[in-house]
Amino acid sequence: MPSSGHGLPSAAAAVPGATPGVRLGLVRLLRTPGFRRLLAVRFATQWGDGMFQAALGGAVLFNPERQADPLAVAAGLAVLLLPYSLIGPFAGALIDRWDRRRVLLGASLVRAALVVAVAAVVLSGGAGMALYLPALAAAGVNRFVLAALSVALPHVVPRQHLVEANTFAVTAGAATAAIGGATAIGLRELVGTGDAGSGAVTLVGIAGSLTAAVLAARFRRRQLGPDRTDGHRSTVSSVLHGFGDGARATIATPSVAASFLALGTHRLAFGVSTLLSLLLFRYAFTDAGPLRAGMAGLGEAVVLAAAGLGTAALVTPWMVRRWGRPRTVRVSLVVATVTQLTLAALLSLPTVMVAAFVLGLTGQIVKLCADAAVQGEVGDEVLGRVFALYDIVFNVGYVLAVAAAALLSPPDGTAPLLFATAALLYVLGLVGHDLQLRRARRLEAMSARPPS
């Protein structure tokens, strides 16, 4: 397979009417068979993941047969998000060495089996480690699939169109996950909110994994890379060096490091807001007109957050073309800061609903810019490990913030000071982002100097 100068396959010929440097538009992107199929795998995977997370969250937090305090909520979120982040740098090394088509196919089938196991435990009324261990494994395998999808994207779309393609793929995928979550919430209302209903809804999520496996099987061998591997002689050596390789590649590229800092502080702040909002919906809020408390209100918040994600898909390419990626990130962080301060001052159901949209929008803009930085500026031979490190930034920081908020929050989530602390985290993200971009400018100036 011919390669570009970056070691990636030349995908331009696969895009009908593609012209380097010109925006393709959604219609021409969807005419690309590889992109269209990869997008379908993502949709199936993320719909199933949304189903799984909402069903498991409902079983733990909104199940009348169980009572959940803040620490139980934090434990449930950790189960959903931490596993792949802990092994990610090592699993990322495998993504950089194994045929990614087989990764997508095999991991999807393994995840389907694990979801069946989780559903059986929920159905039987199991709790504690009996529930968390298979849920940990299922969530970890799902993150493995999502990392492989991100790494595969440059193999079906030309590099100069990655921002455009990634904006649509990631945002639409996140919206699909939200639809999966809303589907689970709706199904629970139909089949019941106890253990039997929660187990049945969890089981339905296997449809996403099975569909993803069927779609992934249609790719050609090695079509999704990797085209070349790193210098390690064996897979074992590559795995053992996974974390260090990913970290070094990230630090060596200041624009990528800046994106990681911005995204990391957003996820810390978002983790605090998520935990507090869940508790508020569960224990503090009451219905206000069309706005609902409880699980129904959480479903409304999920829909608003999904609308924010969809809006990000529309405005991010325009913002990046007009302002550039750094300024786009800074504007998003400022808007998120103001939103968090407003939450702290006006702690009400309508305010939380508005914040769900705004934070979904600004957070997704930051993530899309970070995705583009990684996919466009990191070499293919180490891309899987950098995305694994990215996953740590995205999820471990989030879970740590959730755990800290669980320890500091009152049982009903009424904690204006914690919402204000989240605003401070966004300010720290702005400062860190700016410092890394200054480092990038210094490095560029040094490289431009003629040798003495």
Side-chain angles (χ1 to χ4, degrees):
M1 182 179 292
S3 298
S4 67
H6 297 281
L8 295 176
S10 176
V15 183
T19 303
V22 176
R23 187 173 182 272
L24 284 178
L26 179 59
V27 173
R28 277 193 289 178
L29 274 174
L30 292 177
R31 288 177 183 169
T32 310
F35 176 73
R36 188 169 61 242
R37 190 174 304 140
L38 199 68
L39 192 65
V41 175
R42 178 180 287 276
F43 285 174
T45 297
Q46 295 200 248
W47 179 86
D49 187 44
M51 281 282 300
F52 180 75
Q53 291 196 33
L56 191 59
V60 172
L61 182 59
F62 292 95
N63 188 338
E65 297 177 20
R66 308 170 191 243
Q67 281 295 321
D69 58 23
L71 288 176
V73 177
L77 289 172
V79 164
L80 292 172
L81 298 172
L82 273 185
Y84 181 70
S85 296
L86 298 178
I87 65 169
F90 311 104
L94 300 178
I95 293 175
D96 288 335
R97 297 182 72 90
W98 290 352
D99 181 356
R100 290 165 189 160
R101 169 187 173 275
R102 292 184 178 179
V103 169
L104 292 173
L105 174 59
S108 296
L109 292 175
V110 169
R111 186 177 183 279
L114 290 168
V115 170
V116 172
V118 172
V121 174
V122 173
L123 189 64
S124 66
M129 295 306 293
L131 173 62
Y132 287 159
L133 283 178
L136 279 165
V141 172
N142 189 72
R143 296 302 308 169
F144 193 52
V145 173
L146 293 178
L149 285 168
S150 294
V151 173
L153 186 62
H155 291 264
V156 296
V157 175
R159 182 174 288 266
Q160 65 269 26
H161 299 299
L162 277 176
V163 172
E164 183 182 357
N166 194 69
T167 295
F168 179 73
V170 173
T171 303
T176 304
I179 292 171
T183 303
I185 292 171
L187 284 177
R188 288 183 84 249
E189 295 299 318
L190 292 176
V191 302
T193 56
D195 288 334
S198 296
V201 174
T202 303
L203 185 62
V204 174
I206 66 169
S209 294
L210 294 176
T211 302
V214 171
L215 293 168
R218 298 179 61 194
F219 283 105
R220 299 189 309 275
R221 182 177 179 274
R222 292 283 177 180
Q223 181 180 351
L224 304 177
D227 297 325
R228 55 194 175 101
T229 59
D230 55 37
H232 299 298
R233 292 184 178 181
S234 68
T235 298
V236 173
S237 175
S238 184
V239 168
L240 293 177
H241 287 84
F243 184 84
D245 290 344
R248 281 189 293 272
T250 299
I251 294 170
T253 313
S255 59
V256 175
S259 298
F260 272 43
L261 284 171
L263 184 63
T265 52
H266 160 69
R267 292 295 287 177
L268 286 170
F270 192 65
V272 172
S273 297
T274 298
L275 187 280
L276 296 177
S277 297
L278 285 171
L279 294 175
L280 288 168
F281 276 109
R282 179 67 171 89
Y283 298 111
F285 286 156
T286 56
D287 294 351
L291 303 179
R292 296 286 180 262
M295 191 69 171
L298 185 61
E300 291 178 338
V302 167
V303 171
L304 286 169
L309 299 178
T311 304
L314 298 176
V315 303
T316 302
W318 176 85
M319 293 173 70
V320 171
R321 286 196 302 271
R322 184 178 178 84
W323 295 337
R325 207 164 57 214
R327 188 178 177 188
T328 296
V329 170
R330 285 195 291 268
V331 168
S332 299
L333 292 177
V334 169
V335 172
T337 302
V338 174
T339 302
Q340 290 290 163
L341 291 174
T342 304
L343 268 175
L346 306 171
L347 200 52
S348 64
L349 178 56
T351 309
V352 170
M353 291 297 192
V354 172
F357 173 82
V358 176
L359 294 178
L361 168 66
T362 54
Q364 188 70 359
I365 290 173
V366 173
K367 184 182 186 302
L368 291 172
C369 290
D371 287 349
V374 174
Q375 290 173 326
E377 299 171 28
V378 174
D380 187 49
E381 70 278 4
V382 75
L383 195 54
R385 277 156 290 180
V386 173
F387 260 109
L389 188 64
Y390 180 112
D391 195 89
I392 289 179
V393 171
F394 195 78
N395 286 324
V396 173
Y398 177 82
V399 170
L400 290 175
V402 166
L407 291 171
L408 299 173
S409 170
D412 66 353
T414 307
L417 185 59
L418 284 178
F419 278 114
T421 301
L424 177 61
L425 290 170
Y426 281 118
V427 173
L428 293 176
L430 276 167
V431 173
H433 185 264
D434 185 62
L435 290 174
Q436 285 299 315
L437 293 181
R438 290 183 183 184
R439 181 167 76 95
R441 289 192 289 270
R442 287 197 300 271
L443 291 175
E444 289 176 3
M446 291 174 60
S447 64
R449 292 175 186 170
S452 55

